[in-house]
Amino acid sequence: MVSKRHSILYQIIIICLLTISISSSFLIVVNADEIDYVYLGGQVIGIDIKLNGLSIVSKVNIISKEGCFSPFKDIELFQGDILYSIDDVIIENISQIDDIIQNKEFVNICIKRNNNLYSYSVTPKYDLISRKNKLGLLLKDQLSGIGTITYINPKDMSFAALGHPIKDYNGENIIGRHGVIYSALVTRVVKSSKNHPGELIGSFSHLNNPIGTITDSNMFGIFGNLNNNEQNLIKIEMGKKEDIKTGKAQIYSTVSGEYPQLYDIEILNIDNSNSKEKCMFIKIVDENLISKTGGIVQGMSGSPIIQNGKLIGAITHVLVSDSTKGYGIFIDLMT
């Protein structure tokens, strides 16, 4: 039988075990039975996501019997052009092209550029190396970059990241496309300055196994599932937009190496009517972060915003005229 004194001591120990301290100014109390909580993000990830079509990287010469030849020699192409269709067949993957153009003297090529379609008659050429008809285009079917995880759901290890849509080379939102994510390392920072947003330079290898899959992409970021249970993750209570106040807050972000740190910010304004990704106007006040990055840089999108021990949102944009200021999205919109 446990004495009353020992029982009280036992309760105190249990309460202490449910308390996670990240810093002297950031204290989280988690009780799984009473609080809706998630694992805090802040980790930089490498992102590969399917494009809305095949992006044209460049023209390529074909080695034919007559010598080097480019079917697109007299056609002007631009960075970000999309190979939209061949003979009225919409192209979604590279493997379709060989089946369509074999044994054809001419094909009708439709190029998408800035939401406009341009049609050209093109002569495929027999390539002596591959022994197939070729169009002479270097194509890309996915977009790569780095971003930041906002949170992970402990129930199923699903994740949310970025807080804003991914755009293709034409500036169009990539909606509902699948992809994968990799572990990444921040190797260098290009600092932000007035009218010149900086960026995190990250590295990740496609030779490594992906750490997760992207199952959805929409206006509020990318979403998917991690392949394995991550270790040493921090639990945090999910906030709501009505919890958010102007004033002191923090972001949890990785700007060097592979581990995130806390940095001080101020929430200057809250727009409760805004259903897009610019719900909060914020300012970086942490001199340590400003000295490293100049403020907000590309690649920090998705960095969690924390206030009063709750996850309330994520960074989405930098203000070009003042890189210490930017915008964040309510966490409600990323759930």
Side-chain angles (χ1 to χ4, degrees):
M1 182 175 181
V2 180
S3 70
K4 184 176 181 180
R5 179 187 176 193
H6 287 166
S7 177
I8 292 172
L9 181 59
Y10 180 78
Q11 291 175 31
I12 291 173
I13 292 172
I14 292 296
I15 291 172
C16 289
L17 289 174
L18 293 171
T19 303
I20 304 174
S21 176
I22 297 181
S23 75
S24 59
S25 61
F26 182 27
L27 192 64
I28 305 171
V29 179
V30 177
N31 188 319
D33 295 329
E34 299 175 2
I35 297 174
D36 184 18
Y37 69 89
V38 293
Y39 292 135
L40 189 62
Q43 308 91 338
V44 169
I45 51 172
I47 300 168
D48 273 350
I49 191 166
K50 293 292 184 181
L51 290 169
N52 300 316
L54 300 183
S55 177
I56 299 173
V57 179
S58 65
K59 303 174 186 179
V60 178
N61 284 330
I62 295 169
I63 309 300
S64 68
K65 294 178 181 178
E66 295 81 18
C68 292
F69 178 80
S70 171
F72 283 84
K73 180 180 67 172
D74 299 321
I75 298 174
E76 190 173 19
L77 299 176
F78 297 90
Q79 177 72 27
D81 282 356
I82 299 293
L83 178 60
Y84 181 75
S85 68
I86 304 176
D87 286 347
D88 297 324
V89 177
I90 295 176
I91 303 301
E92 296 182 345
N93 56 70
I94 294 174
S95 62
Q96 289 177 270
I97 299 174
D98 284 348
D99 294 335
I100 297 173
I101 69 175
Q102 297 311 308
N103 305 315
K104 288 189 176 180
E105 187 175 353
F106 298 99
V107 291
N108 185 60
I109 301 292
C110 189
I111 302 296
K112 186 176 182 180
R113 180 184 304 140
N114 298 325
N115 290 321
N116 297 313
L117 297 177
Y118 303 88
S119 293
Y120 306 95
S121 180
V122 175
T123 302
K125 202 70 175 177
Y126 185 80
D127 177 44
L128 294 177
I129 297 175
S130 64
R131 298 181 181 179
K132 295 179 180 179
N133 271 3
K134 292 291 183 182
L135 289 177
L137 292 176
L138 180 61
L139 301 167
K140 191 173 185 179
D141 62 357
Q142 63 186 24
L143 188 68
S144 296
I146 67 168
T148 302
I149 289 181
T150 305
Y151 71 85
I152 301 165
N153 189 328
K155 297 176 182 178
D156 57 7
M157 297 306 289
S158 59
F159 70 87
L162 293 190
H164 63 70
I166 293 181
K167 296 182 181 296
D168 63 20
Y169 294 108
N170 280 318
E172 296 181 24
N173 294 344
I174 298 176
I175 301 297
R177 290 288 174 170
H178 292 192
V180 294
I181 62 172
Y182 296 87
S183 293
L185 182 71
V186 177
T187 56
R188 186 166 62 91
V189 176
V190 177
K191 293 181 68 171
S192 283
S193 59
K194 187 175 182 179
N195 298 321
H196 296 284
E199 64 176 316
L200 300 179
I201 306 299
S203 65
F204 63 96
S205 175
H206 294 93
L207 298 177
N208 295 332
N209 291 327
I211 62 171
T213 56
I214 299 169
T215 58
D216 190 24
S217 170
N218 60 36
M219 286 294 297
F220 307 121
I222 60 172
F223 305 85
N225 297 95
L226 295 179
N227 295 335
N228 300 304
N229 289 338
E230 297 292 311
Q231 302 297 318
N232 302 319
L233 294 174
I234 298 166
K235 290 180 180 179
I236 186 170
E237 181 180 352
M238 288 284 273
K240 300 182 183 299
K241 64 180 180 180
E242 52 264 31
D243 296 326
I244 306 170
K245 310 294 181 185
T246 56
K248 294 181 179 180
Q250 292 173 305
I251 60 170
Y252 196 52
S253 189
T254 304
V255 297
S256 63
E258 56 182 327
Y259 299 110
Q261 295 183 39
L262 284 167
Y263 299 101
D264 293 327
I265 68 168
E266 285 187 8
I267 299 175
L268 303 177
N269 187 48
I270 302 165
D271 185 358
N272 285 307
S273 66
N274 195 339
S275 62
K276 299 297 177 64
E277 65 270 16
K278 294 182 179 180
C279 308
M280 292 175 279
F281 188 43
I282 67 171
K283 178 179 176 64
I284 305 295
V285 297
D286 196 299
E287 292 298 330
N288 185 27
L289 181 59
I290 293 172
S291 68
K292 291 178 180 178
T293 65
I296 300 170
V297 296
Q298 297 176 71
M300 287 174 64
S301 293
S303 296
I305 301 175
I306 301 150
Q307 190 178 57
N308 296 323
K310 295 180 181 180
L311 174 61
I312 59 168
I315 288 180
T316 57
H317 294 80
V318 60
L319 192 65
V320 175
S321 60
D322 183 354
S323 58
T324 65
K325 297 177 180 177
Y327 295 92
I329 186 175
F330 295 145
I331 199 63
D332 304 55
L333 298 176
M334 295 182 67
T335 57

